[in-house]
Amino acid sequence: MSAPPALLQALPPPDTRPWWRRWAARLRKPSAHVWLTLALVALGMLLGQRLSENAGMAQLAAVASERLELYTAALDAELARHDYLPNLIAIDEEVQALIAQPQDSTLRRRADLKLARITVRAGASASYLVDAQGNVLASSQASNTGNNPLSVGEQARLRDALQAQAQHFFAVNEGNGSTEYFMLHLVRRQRQLQAAVVVRLNLAPLEATWVDLGLRSHGEKLLVVDDNEVLIMSSVPEWKYRILGHVTPEVRAALQASGRYPGADLQGMGVDTEGMEKQDALLVAVPAAKGLREGGLLLAQQRVAAPLGVRLVTLSDPAEVWRQAHYATWGGGAFGASVGLMSLYLASRRRALRQVFQAQTALQKAHGELERLVDHRTRELRTTNEELKRQIAQRLQAETELVQAGKLAVLGQMSAGISHELNQPLTALRALSANTLRFLEAGRTQTVAENLKAIDSVVERMAAITRQLKSFARKAENAAEPAVLQSAIANVLLLLEHRLRSAQVEVRQDLPLPDNLRVKADANRLEQVLVNLVGNAIDAMDEVSPRRLLISARLDGERVRVQVRDNGKGLDPALVPRLFEPFFTTKPAGQGLGLGLVISSKIVHEFGGTLKAVPPEDMPHAEAGGMCFEFDLAWE
C-alpha cells in the first residue's frame, strides 16, 4: 500500500551527501562540541590518572628498589663484620686444646676467658664452643653455676644447624623476643665433625634503627622473612613473628612445635607471596598497624639474600602517588576541557566568520538595493515635497482668504447699520445743500457759511466711517508696525457703533493703561480679533436685558491682558473645550460659520499670545452669567 501523495510531499528529501559530509555537518553543531568537550574531559581525566599513577608507581618502585638494595647491603655488611670471628676463635691454641681434651676443666676455664675477651673486643653478643651434639664446651657467658647459656629452643636450633652443617642461622631470643644471628665454624678432624665455634649477634639495634626510620618516614616499611615465611625482623613491631602469606592451622601448629619461634602467635598477614615472586612490584593489602589504615594497599618489593637464607621485603605507601594521580586527574580533565572549549571557540569563530561573510554579502546586496530604493524614494520625495509646497502655498492662500472672508462676513453683518449711518448724513447733506442755495439767493451769506461748515462736519463723519471700513476690509500686511491698543479698541467700537446702539448695549471701558500704549501686533488684524469678540458678545446678549459689555486691559509684567466680557446667558461648561474647533458654533443656522474664534485664536497665536475663554466663576468681581474672552500681547 503506497503512502498518500500529501504525506510524501511532507516528508523531507533524502540526504544524498557523503557520510563524511553528514558527520562533519553534525560535528559543526554546538551540541556536538559540548559532547566532544565532555568526552575530552573524561578522556583527559582517565589518561591523567593512569599516566600519573603509572609514572608515580614506576618512580616509587625504582626508589624502593634502590632502598631495598641499600637495606640488603646494610644487613650483609652488618653481619659480614663478624664473619672472621668464628675462624679466629677456631685457630686459638686454647680452643684447640679444649677441643682435643673436652673434659679438662682447666682448659675449659681458659677457653671461657679467651672467648669472653674476644667477644668483648669484637662487639658480639656471645660466643660458644660446642661439641658435635651441640653441648656447650666453653662460653663467653660462663658462670660458676654451670648453667647452660643457651635456651632449649636455641639448643634445638643449634643441633639442627649442626646436623645440616649450616654456617649460620637466625633464632628468637626467648628472653626479650629479639632476633639473633648465629654464625658457625665447623671443626673437623679426618672429615669428622669434632666441634663448632658459634658467634652470637643480637640484631635488636639494627631492627630498632629500621623501626625508627619507619616511624619517621611513614612511607616505607622493611621486613626480613626467613625460609618459613615468618617475619623475623620488621620495622613495624606489630607484624614481627607473623607469617607473610596465608597460613593454615596445621602449618601454624607445626611451626609452633618446632620451637624456633617461642611465644609467637604466627598469624598470617594474607600477602600474595606468589604474585610478589612473579612481579617485581605488586600492590598488596596489609593488616592494620600503627600509622597504617586497615586494609591499606602498599607497594611490595623483595630481594633474596641467598647467603643469609632470608628475603628482604619493602612495603612503600603509594598515598602520595595516588594524591598526585588525583591532581593529575583534575589536570587532565581541565586539559580536556580546554581542548574541547578551544575546539568550540574555533568552531564558533568559524561560524561567526561565515556569518559575518554572509552578512557582508547580504549587506552589500542590501546596500545596492537601498541605493536604488533611495534614488526611487528621493524622486518620490522630491515630487511629494513639491506637491506639499504647493499645498502649503494653497493652504496659506486659503487661510488668508479665510481671514478676509471673516472680515467680509463681519462687514456683511454691519452693512445694514453702516448704510443707516451713511443715509442719515446724506439726508442732512441734501437738506443743508438746498437751504444753502436758498440762503445764497437771499444773500444771507452768514447762514450759507454756517450751513457749509455743517456740511463739512457731516462729510468728515462719513469719511471717517468709510475710511475705517476700508482699513478693516483690506488684507493685512506680513510686516506691520506695533499698534496702539486704545486706538484699535476705539476703531472697533466705531465700526460696531450702530449694532451696539441698535441692541441697546451699554459699553464700558476699563483701560488703566499709559497713553498710546503700543502692542506687538498688526493693527488691522488686532481690530479683526476685537470685532469678532465684540460681535460674539453682542449676539450672546440677545435674550437678556439690560445688556452690558465690558472691555478691559491690564498690564501683567511685560504682557498686557485684554478681556471682552458680556452678561449674556453664558455657555454650557461641556461646550467650552470645543469653542476653538473649526465650524463649531452655538448660533442658529445661517448666523455663523464657526470660524471667528478659530481665526482670532490663530491671529493671537501669531502675535505670540494666547486666546482663551474664561468662565465667570473664575473671574473675580464678575456678574452672574455671561462669558469672558481673554488674550495677552507683548507691549513696548
Side-chain angles (χ1 to χ4, degrees):
M1 183 177 179
S2 60
L7 180 60
L8 292 177
Q9 293 178 359
L11 292 175
D15 194 347
T16 58
R17 294 177 299 175
W19 65 269
W20 56 273
R21 285 188 176 274
R22 294 196 296 271
W23 277 103
R26 292 178 182 177
L27 291 177
R28 283 196 293 267
K29 296 181 179 179
S31 58
H33 286 279
V34 172
W35 287 109
L36 177 62
T37 301
L38 294 177
L40 289 175
V41 169
L43 180 61
M45 295 178 70
L46 179 62
L47 290 178
Q49 192 270 340
R50 291 291 180 85
L51 294 177
S52 177
E53 183 175 348
N54 292 340
M57 287 296 182
Q59 184 178 6
L60 182 62
V63 173
S65 178
E66 293 178 1
R67 290 184 178 177
L68 187 58
E69 295 292 344
L70 293 176
Y71 289 138
T72 304
L75 181 59
D76 288 340
E78 179 67 21
L79 300 180
R81 287 192 309 115
H82 301 88
D83 281 348
Y84 70 94
L85 195 55
N87 295 332
L88 180 63
I89 295 174
I91 63 176
D92 186 79
E93 294 179 355
E94 295 178 355
V95 173
Q96 289 288 337
L98 181 59
I99 294 173
Q101 300 179 14
Q103 302 301 327
D104 190 340
S105 59
T106 303
L107 294 176
R108 177 174 294 184
R109 285 193 297 273
R110 291 178 180 176
D112 289 341
L113 293 175
K114 177 65 68 140
L115 291 176
R117 287 195 299 269
I118 295 175
T119 300
V120 171
R121 290 177 181 176
S125 298
S127 58
Y128 311 99
L129 177 63
V130 299
D131 59 12
Q133 289 75 33
N135 299 317
V136 178
L137 300 178
S139 172
S140 61
Q141 300 173 335
S143 63
N144 295 327
T145 61
N147 293 331
N148 194 329
L150 296 176
S151 65
V152 176
E154 291 172 347
Q155 291 181 27
R157 186 75 180 92
L158 179 59
R159 282 193 293 270
D160 292 341
L162 291 175
Q163 186 177 359
Q165 295 186 4
Q167 295 183 351
H168 52 77
F169 65 90
F170 292 89
V172 178
N173 188 318
E174 296 181 11
N176 54 24
S178 63
T179 302
E180 293 187 323
Y181 181 66
F182 290 82
M183 294 182 294
L184 285 71
H185 177 76
L186 304 180
V187 180
R188 293 183 178 88
R189 298 287 173 85
Q190 296 179 356
R191 298 183 180 181
Q192 295 293 327
L193 180 63
Q194 295 293 320
V197 178
V198 180
V199 175
R200 182 177 187 173
L201 300 176
N202 192 295
L203 300 180
L206 179 60
E207 191 175 17
T209 303
W210 291 351
V211 171
D212 180 66
L213 180 61
L215 291 176
R216 284 189 288 106
S217 66
H218 294 286
E220 193 171 69
K221 312 301 176 185
L222 178 62
L223 311 175
V224 178
V225 185
D226 65 3
D227 54 348
N228 291 325
E229 298 294 323
V230 177
L231 276 62
I232 58 175
M233 297 179 68
S234 173
S235 62
V236 182
E238 293 92 331
W239 293 347
K240 191 171 182 180
Y241 300 124
R242 299 184 69 172
I243 298 176
L244 183 62
H246 299 276
V247 61
T248 61
E250 294 78 8
V251 173
R252 183 186 300 112
L255 291 176
Q256 290 175 344
S258 66
R260 293 179 59 179
Y261 314 101
D265 191 19
L266 298 177
Q267 295 293 326
M269 293 182 61
V271 176
D272 184 10
T273 55
E274 294 182 0
M276 291 175 57
E277 293 177 358
K278 296 178 182 178
Q279 300 183 31
D280 183 59
L282 178 68
L283 284 174
V284 296
V286 296
K290 186 177 181 181
L292 292 175
R293 301 184 306 275
E294 184 176 359
L297 293 177
L298 299 179
L299 185 66
Q301 289 180 286
Q302 66 177 3
R303 291 291 182 273
V304 178
L308 302 177
V310 295
R311 289 182 298 149
L312 273 73
V313 179
T314 56
L315 299 175
S316 304
D317 189 0
E320 184 62 27
V321 174
W322 288 331
R323 186 179 298 108
Q324 296 298 328
H326 178 73
Y327 295 151
T329 299
W330 290 110
F335 179 75
S338 62
V339 173
L341 293 177
M342 180 60 69
S343 65
L344 179 61
Y345 165 74
L346 293 177
S348 302
R349 186 172 182 272
R350 180 181 179 184
R351 187 182 304 107
L353 291 176
R354 185 170 60 252
Q355 292 175 352
V356 169
F357 177 74
Q358 294 175 353
Q360 288 179 347
T361 303
L363 184 62
Q364 291 176 355
K365 182 178 179 181
H367 182 70
E369 293 291 337
L370 182 61
E371 287 184 349
R372 289 191 293 272
L373 182 61
V374 167
D375 292 340
H376 178 69
R377 292 295 175 85
T378 302
R379 290 192 296 270
E380 292 182 352
L381 184 61
R382 187 179 294 109
T383 303
T384 304
N385 191 23
E386 293 175 355
E387 179 65 20
L388 183 60
K389 289 180 179 180
R390 186 183 63 79
Q391 293 179 1
I392 291 174
Q394 292 178 353
R395 179 176 177 273
L396 293 177
Q397 183 179 358
E399 288 181 355
T400 304
E401 293 177 353
L402 186 61
V403 172
Q404 188 65 20
K407 292 182 180 181
L408 296 178
V410 173
L411 290 175
Q413 294 176 359
M414 297 185 301
S415 59
I418 293 173
S419 61
H420 180 73
E421 289 291 331
L422 293 179
N423 283 333
Q424 290 180 351
L426 287 175
T427 302
L429 285 176
R430 282 197 298 270
L432 289 173
S433 60
N435 292 332
T436 300
L437 290 174
R438 286 195 296 270
F439 291 150
L440 184 60
E441 291 175 355
R444 297 173 58 183
T445 56
Q446 182 63 32
T447 304
V448 170
E450 293 176 359
N451 285 347
L452 289 176
K453 290 181 180 179
I455 291 172
D456 180 69
S457 177
V458 171
V459 171
E460 181 61 28
R461 176 177 175 79
M462 292 176 64
I465 292 174
T466 56
R467 185 168 56 252
Q468 186 59 33
L469 285 174
K470 181 180 179 182
S471 174
F472 181 76
R474 77 172 186 269
K475 293 185 178 180
E477 299 295 335
N478 292 332
E481 295 182 355
V484 178
L485 179 60
Q486 293 178 342
S487 298
I489 295 174
N491 293 335
V492 169
L493 294 177
L494 177 63
L495 288 173
L496 299 176
E497 182 181 3
H498 176 71
R499 287 193 62 190
L500 292 171
R501 188 170 56 251
S502 299
Q504 299 181 355
V505 176
E506 179 186 353
V507 179
R508 290 187 296 175
Q509 299 185 50
D510 185 11
L511 305 173
L513 303 175
D515 295 337
N516 298 325
L517 177 71
R518 293 179 177 273
V519 294
K520 295 181 178 179
D522 177 70
N524 186 262
R525 301 178 75 188
L526 176 59
E527 291 176 7
Q528 182 177 353
V529 172
L530 291 171
V531 166
N532 282 329
L533 297 180
V534 173
N536 288 340
I538 296 172
D539 294 336
M541 295 185 292
D542 280 346
E543 300 179 5
V544 299
S545 181
R547 302 179 181 93
R548 286 187 292 273
L549 175 68
L550 174 62
I551 300 176
S552 62
R554 292 286 187 277
L555 292 179
D556 185 8
E558 296 181 356
R559 314 287 291 181
V560 58
R561 298 189 178 277
V562 181
Q563 291 183 348
V564 178
R565 186 183 308 175
D566 62 72
N567 65 337
K569 293 171 57 178
L571 190 65
D572 186 356
L575 300 178
V576 173
R578 301 186 58 191
L579 286 176
F580 298 97
E581 292 182 5
F583 305 106
F584 174 78
T585 179
T586 58
K587 299 178 182 180
Q591 296 187 13
L593 299 176
L595 295 175
L597 289 178
V598 177
I599 295 172
S600 300
S601 176
K602 181 178 181 301
I603 293 173
V604 173
H605 180 72
E606 291 178 356
F607 292 163
T610 303
L611 174 63
K612 59 183 179 179
V614 183
E617 55 268 19
D618 294 343
M619 297 182 296
H621 311 296
E623 297 182 2
M627 198 68 186
C628 176
F629 288 88
E630 176 185 282
F631 63 91
D632 62 305
L633 299 171
W635 62 277
E636 295 183 351

